[in-house]
Amino acid sequence: MKKIQTEKNLPELIYDSVVNAIVEGLLRPGERVTQESLAERLDVSRLPVSQAMQRLRDDGFLSAVGRRGLMVSVLDENFVAQLYEFRCGIDLISAGLAAQRVTAGVRKRGEDIIDEGYAAGKAHDLPALIDADMRFHGFIYELAGNTFILDSMEAHWNHVRRVMSDILIVEKNQKQIWEEHAAILDAVLAGDVRTAETLARRHVETASKWLQQEIQGCREPLKRSGSPINQF
């Protein structure tokens, strides 16, 4: 992780850096996070770190452990289920609107994202996979042309990124995910509203099922490292 060099919006930059580390698996669920370690790693003072950590706790990325400590929050099955119920509705509506409002000239942009997703999978590049996945869905939301959709998803974007990292890290899921993306894109570009909506709904429902199965299978005591942030 690169050290932060600018003083502009420092708590926000620290927040983004920690979220990215959680999404990319550099900070694992249950791992302790301290103000001192973050300040040292990022080469910043403790005050903006404290401000960022408070927001990270408020947003659910960090949670209390012990008397005064914080750790990376463990994904909660109920939270994931509710997030994906919300996404199911948003993605269905977005795909349908995108199919109605798609314009000439966007095909290459969509196909480029699909190609980048397949390439990231072949390279086993998890950050690139997450980025391509987020850009694909952002592309569909943009085509939908509804600012309320964009604003709603922006508010939950980092949580979606974190959850998607748990799906995409499993290699067997990657091919199916990008095949589903390609099918959604084809339906949108063809202006096939019903098919686009159906495929978008199934895509989210499948991801939700995978995640909940994984969470149920991982209910075991967390192994805590003696050092708060060894890899971050």
Side-chain angles (χ1 to χ4, degrees):
M1 186 183 67
K2 294 181 179 178
K3 293 182 178 180
I4 295 171
Q5 301 296 330
T6 178
E7 293 297 325
K8 183 179 180 181
N9 298 321
L10 197 49
E12 181 72 23
L13 291 170
I14 295 168
Y15 175 95
D16 290 342
S17 186
V18 175
V19 168
N20 286 338
I22 293 171
V23 168
E24 294 171 15
L26 300 177
L27 284 173
R28 303 298 301 166
E31 188 168 352
R32 292 180 68 95
V33 178
T34 68
Q35 191 178 123
E36 294 80 5
S37 294
L38 283 181
E40 181 178 351
R41 291 284 184 176
L42 298 171
D43 194 24
V44 295
S45 64
R46 291 175 59 179
L47 178 59
V49 170
S50 176
Q51 294 169 333
M53 289 179 72
Q54 182 59 54
R55 183 183 164 197
L56 287 159
R57 183 174 179 177
D58 291 344
D59 288 352
F61 290 102
L62 299 181
S63 54
V65 58
R67 281 187 163 185
R68 298 177 61 186
L70 290 174
M71 70 175 187
V72 177
S73 298
V74 177
L75 280 176
D76 176 75
E77 184 180 352
N78 188 53
F79 172 82
V80 170
Q82 291 186 23
L83 177 64
Y84 270 67
E85 286 171 356
F86 170 75
R87 264 202 73 186
C88 192
I90 291 290
D91 282 26
L92 182 151
I93 293 169
S94 299
L97 289 174
Q100 293 177 51
R101 298 171 178 174
V102 66
T103 59
V106 299
R107 176 179 294 276
K108 186 178 186 306
R109 184 178 162 203
E111 290 177 344
D112 284 348
I113 295 173
I114 299 293
D115 290 342
E116 289 166 14
Y118 279 122
K122 289 180 180 178
H124 307 290
D125 187 339
L126 180 61
L129 267 170
I130 297 168
D131 180 63
D133 190 282
M134 296 295 98
R135 285 192 294 112
F136 174 77
H137 289 290
F139 174 66
I140 299 298
Y141 301 147
E142 183 183 328
L143 290 182
N146 186 310
T147 57
F148 287 97
I149 288 174
L150 290 169
D151 291 345
S152 296
M153 289 310 299
E154 184 178 359
H156 303 284
W157 206 237
N158 282 324
H159 286 294
V160 174
R161 288 177 63 222
R162 183 186 181 189
V163 172
M164 281 307 304
S165 71
D166 277 12
I167 296 176
L168 290 168
I169 200 170
V170 180
E171 191 170 342
K172 67 179 182 180
N173 296 342
Q174 295 167 10
K175 185 173 183 291
Q176 181 175 339
I177 286 170
W178 286 98
E179 287 174 348
E180 291 175 2
H181 286 168
I184 293 167
L185 179 64
D186 286 344
V188 167
L189 294 174
D192 188 340
V193 174
R194 181 169 294 182
T195 300
E197 291 176 341
T198 299
L199 293 175
R201 186 190 72 246
R202 288 177 183 170
H203 178 66
V204 177
E205 287 175 345
T206 298
S208 178
K209 190 177 299 182
W210 282 344
L211 281 161
Q212 291 177 63
Q213 288 173 348
E214 181 181 340
I215 291 171
Q216 289 169 2
C218 291
R219 284 174 176 169
E220 58 183 40
L222 292 166
K223 294 180 180 179
R224 305 271 173 82
S225 168
S227 176
I229 306 177
N230 295 326
Q231 298 178 346
F232 178 41

